[in-house]
Amino acid sequence: MKIEVVPRFRIEGKYYTMDQLPEEQVREIVIEKLDLAMAALKYERKRAAK
């Protein structure tokens, strides 16, 4: 039996997979959640050099 992890996002009470949302919206959600998680650990995200 193979275990598969399928990330889902809840938006306004409905669940969506990454394939159902535009790439930009997924990116914004992930960045926001990572920032919240890192802030809880007392880390700050700095802008990367170009």
Side-chain angles (χ1 to χ4, degrees):
M1 187 163 116
K2 183 179 176 184
I3 297 175
E4 183 178 347
V5 177
V6 180
R8 294 188 186 164
F9 301 98
R10 187 172 69 177
I11 302 171
E12 297 179 7
K14 291 187 174 184
Y15 287 92
Y16 299 91
T17 62
M18 289 176 59
D19 298 334
Q20 296 173 313
L21 298 171
E23 183 179 332
E24 184 60 36
Q25 187 176 11
V26 171
R27 182 178 292 116
E28 288 174 13
I29 292 168
V30 170
I31 289 171
E32 178 184 340
K33 296 301 179 184
L34 283 173
D35 285 345
L36 288 172
M38 296 305 283
L41 297 171
K42 307 295 184 208
Y43 284 92
E44 288 183 25
R45 181 167 57 94
K46 294 185 179 177
R47 207 172 161 165
K50 289 184 180 183

